[in-house]
């Protein structure tokens, strides 16, 4: 019987995010494409010797109590399986928080997937995704990984053909995080909802299926840009810098503050990152067909 399990939990980008309407539960109806990327947190789940859920994290800015989504995931497992006993979690963060890269959701999904394996709970991927969706709209995707179209709150997932090995530069203004509820609130209050046919999504999916950055770039789309970019010109400036430095296409991911650029290859990605100025963190990575993976 193993005492601990360590997994890698990939971040996501959203090359397409269309807001289709408001929902009675306060959320928004989405058509959103999720793509896992190589940037990942390392999450360790251990059997604890007390009844407690304990969380350690190498980022001192993140909460280590019930405000942390990974902690909530452990609690959700224990609610369903009251005999689990203590759960100790260790988060080694690489995915920045408040970036629109699903850092918190990836950790929560990792706890569900690793906990299921460690305690041999026998939950299927769909059951884990459904449990994840009770924690946050992005957690279901993070359980599944790869590439998917999300509808509803983003938690009703249809897998899409893998788009593996597209090189992406992820860039985040170092001192700027965006709170997701705030981005949606601005979108709503400013009446930014537009009526669209399904044609735009259809065209995006056709382009995405080619796997060619040049074909995909003109169809990259994120409705939340209209809410977030006017308030945070540094995000728009970063997007423009990526394009000026040679990115084939660039877009804000989720509710920001990170943007990603499609680039020809890793060398070009590093050159493009170096050409951008300002207090910005960069990661040169790639699209990834997998999800949460056991490493130890
Ligand atoms: O589900 P999650 O906690 O990640 O969502 C964070 C916030 O983002 C929600 O509280 C809501 O304000 C907003 N949201 C939304 N519609 C979605 C997803 C998120 O309004 N489909």
């Amino acid at each position: 019987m193993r005492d601990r399990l360590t997994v890698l939990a990939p971040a996501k980008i959203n090359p397409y995010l269309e807001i289709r309407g408001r929902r009675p539960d306060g959320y928004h109806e989405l058509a959103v494409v999720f793509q896992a990327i190589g940037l990942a947190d390392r999450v360790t789940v251990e059997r604890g010797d007390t009844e407690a859920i304990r969380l350690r994290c190498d980022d001192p800015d993140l909460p280590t109590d019930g405000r942390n989504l990974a902690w909530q995931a452990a609690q959700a497992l224990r609610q369903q399986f009251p005999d689990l006993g203590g759960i100790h979690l260790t988060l080694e963060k690489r995915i920045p928080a408040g970036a629109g890269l699903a850092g918190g959701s990836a950790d929560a999904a990792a706890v569900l997937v690793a906990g299921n394996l460690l305690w041999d709970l026998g939950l299927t991927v769909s059951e884990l995704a459904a449990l994840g969706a009770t924690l946050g709209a992005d957690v279901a995707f993070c359980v599944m990984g790869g590439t998917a179209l999300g509808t509803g709150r983003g938690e009703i997932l249809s897998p899409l053909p893998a788009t593996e090995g597209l090189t992406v530069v992820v860039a985040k203004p170092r001192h700027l995080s965006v709170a997701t509820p705030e981005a949606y609130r601005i979108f709503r209050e400013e009446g930014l909802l537009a009526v669209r046919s399904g044609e735009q999504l259809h065209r995006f999916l056709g382009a995405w299926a080619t796997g060619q950055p040049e074909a995909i770039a003109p169809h990259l789309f994120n409705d939340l840009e209209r809410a977030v970019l006017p308030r945070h010109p540094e995000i728009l400036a970063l997007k423009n810098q990526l394009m000026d430095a040679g990115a084939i296409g660039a877009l804000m991911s989720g509710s920001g503050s990170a943007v990603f650029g499609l680039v020809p290859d890793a060398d070009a990605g590093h050159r493009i990152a170096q050409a951008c100025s300002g207090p910005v963190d960069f990661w040169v990575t790639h699209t990834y067909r997998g999800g949460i993976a056991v490493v130890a």
Side-chain angles (χ1 to χ4, degrees):
M1 194 171 74
R2 298 187 62 153
D3 285 333
R4 72 169 67 179
L5 207 60
T6 299
V7 297
L8 285 179
K12 60 84 178 163
I13 54 173
N14 301 114
Y16 189 90
L17 192 160
E18 179 186 330
I19 301 179
R20 293 194 156 169
R22 289 188 60 181
R23 296 162 50 108
D25 61 6
Y27 275 77
H28 293 78
E29 200 69 28
L30 302 181
V32 55
V33 175
F34 294 99
Q35 173 62 58
I37 58 173
L39 173 65
D41 287 346
R42 216 176 141 95
V43 178
T44 300
V45 181
E46 286 174 75
R47 297 171 194 274
D49 40 16
T50 66
E51 287 297 298
I53 298 172
R54 285 222 311 256
L55 190 155
R56 284 183 303 185
C57 177
D58 60 0
D59 181 346
D61 292 335
L62 295 182
T64 54
D65 55 18
R67 290 169 295 168
N68 192 304
L69 212 52
W71 195 101
Q72 294 171 25
Q75 192 185 42
L77 280 180
R78 263 238 305 248
Q79 267 161 7
Q80 204 160 329
F81 300 94
D83 298 336
L84 287 192
I87 304 179
H88 292 186
L89 307 173
T90 306
L91 309 183
E92 295 166 79
K93 294 295 297 176
R94 298 295 171 269
I95 310 171
L101 300 170
S105 300
D107 298 343
V111 170
L112 298 180
V113 171
N116 186 44
L117 292 172
L118 187 61
W119 279 280
D120 201 12
L121 303 177
L123 296 174
T124 63
V125 172
S126 304
E127 286 166 341
L128 288 169
L131 186 56
T134 65
L135 301 169
D138 290 349
V139 182
F141 168 74
C142 292
V143 165
M144 304 193 68
T147 316
L149 172 66
T151 54
R153 291 183 296 134
E155 87 289 15
I156 303 170
L157 295 166
S158 315
L160 292 173
T163 305
E164 192 169 30
L166 276 180
T167 308
V168 292
V169 176
V170 176
K172 177 183 177 290
R174 190 164 302 148
H175 305 298
L176 176 64
S177 298
V178 175
T180 304
E182 179 71 1
Y184 280 97
R185 186 186 61 73
I186 294 166
F187 184 88
R188 198 173 55 243
E189 289 182 0
E190 298 203 341
L192 298 176
L193 193 64
V195 178
R196 291 195 187 83
S197 66
E199 191 53 33
Q200 186 178 347
L201 171 64
H202 185 72
R203 281 198 301 268
F204 170 83
L205 292 174
W208 186 251
T210 68
Q212 299 300 318
E214 291 78 6
I216 295 166
H219 300 282
L220 293 173
F221 178 74
N222 183 347
D223 249 332
L224 286 172
E225 283 193 338
R226 285 180 297 130
V228 175
L229 296 188
R231 268 175 190 69
H232 298 294
E234 59 270 57
I235 304 179
L236 177 60
L238 186 53
K239 190 178 160 185
N240 290 338
Q241 278 197 54
L242 286 176
M243 292 302 290
D244 291 346
I248 301 161
L251 191 72
M252 186 175 80
S253 184
S255 53
S257 62
V259 299
F260 66 91
L262 302 179
V263 297
D265 54 45
D267 285 346
H270 289 290
R271 271 200 309 278
I272 288 167
Q274 272 162 14
C276 297
S277 59
V280 176
D281 291 318
F282 291 98
W283 297 265
V284 178
T285 183
H286 49 83
T287 57
Y288 174 56
R289 71 183 307 147
I292 290 157
V294 177
V295 287

